[in-house]
């Protein structure tokens, strides 16, 4: 097993603002059209983060979780690392794919709708722009996995 990064701070809020999540999913879609020699083999999330996500689904009356495919760029990594909370993303993750978890719920009769809290209005399923230093919103997309490579289970049959 190869571990290059420090362990996840399991008490950290490892969400990211919706604006950055949008950039990540756009970067992922763009990468699928290119020939990149750098790719992500797997992503690992700590049990505490998965439990927290399940608690969010229950707390907000969610009907599930949507998993988006995203991609880190150096610009995105810099934006995340300036937020002032959560685990730092290593620069080695630039141009690697990642996952984003978003709580979904029935909104206005439409099930499986992405749920984001807008702190500025009563219309709570729209995202707002977050500034550096703002506290994370309780419904921000979950992210910040440990990626392989750098952290891999080389003994896993799924890696070979």
């Amino acid at each position: 097993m190869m571990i290059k990064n420090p362990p996840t701070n399991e008490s950290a809020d490892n969400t990211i603002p919706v604006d950055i999540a949008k950039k990540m999913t756009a970067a992922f879609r763009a990468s699928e059209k290119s020939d990149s020699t750098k790719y992500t083999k797997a992503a690992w999330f700590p049990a505490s983060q998965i439990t927290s996500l399940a608690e969010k689904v229950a707390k907000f009356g969610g009907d599930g979780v949507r998993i988006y495919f995203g991609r880190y760029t150096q610009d995105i990594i810099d934006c995340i690392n300036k937020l002032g909370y959560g685990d730092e993303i290593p620069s080695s993750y630039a141009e690697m794919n990642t996952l984003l978890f978003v709580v979904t719920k029935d909104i206005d009769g439409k099930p499986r709708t992405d749920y984001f809290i807008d702190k500025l209005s009563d219309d709570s399923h729209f995202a707002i722009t977050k500034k550096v230093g703002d506290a994370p919103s309780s419904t921000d997309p979950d992210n910040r996995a440990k990626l392989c490579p750098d952290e891999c289970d080389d003994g896993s049959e799924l890696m070979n």
Side-chain angles (χ1 to χ4, degrees):
M1 174 162 52
M2 167 189 352
I3 299 177
K4 294 182 182 176
N5 298 313
T8 299
N9 178 355
E10 293 194 20
S11 65
D13 185 331
N14 283 316
T15 62
I16 59 167
V18 175
D19 291 1
I20 294 175
K22 287 178 184 179
K23 291 178 185 177
M24 294 171 82
T25 56
F28 176 81
R29 288 189 303 276
S31 77
E32 292 301 292
K33 298 174 187 168
S34 68
D35 293 326
S36 176
T37 58
K38 193 167 183 180
Y39 66 98
T40 309
K41 293 181 181 180
W44 178 87
F45 292 87
S48 61
Q49 192 169 358
I50 301 300
T51 300
S52 174
L53 183 61
E55 290 169 355
K56 281 186 200 182
V57 172
K59 177 181 177 181
F60 295 112
D63 58 9
V65 173
R66 179 166 284 114
I67 301 172
Y68 283 95
F69 301 100
R71 188 170 183 89
Y72 291 115
T73 64
Q74 190 58 56
D75 182 54
I76 288 168
I77 290 169
D78 294 343
C79 288
I80 292 171
N81 289 342
K82 287 178 185 173
L83 290 172
Y85 61 84
D87 293 325
E88 187 169 303
I89 304 296
S91 288
S92 62
Y93 284 10
E95 307 312 319
M96 289 181 68
N97 298 333
T98 188
L99 300 171
L100 301 138
F101 299 107
V102 176
V103 172
T104 63
K105 67 183 284 181
D106 186 309
I107 297 176
D108 299 329
K110 185 178 177 195
R112 297 177 302 280
T113 301
D114 290 354
Y115 181 62
F116 308 111
I117 291 178
D118 181 344
K119 293 187 252 182
L120 301 178
S121 75
D122 292 333
D123 194 357
S124 61
H125 63 279
F126 293 103
I128 62 172
T129 301
K130 189 171 293 212
K131 296 176 181 68
V132 172
D134 282 356
S137 170
S138 55
T139 60
D140 281 345
D142 272 84
N143 180 242
R144 306 190 204 202
K146 297 295 180 195
L147 300 181
C148 172
D150 293 337
E151 186 172 313
C152 303
D153 177 5
D154 294 330
S156 171
E157 292 187 32
L158 298 177
M159 289 290 171
N160 301 316

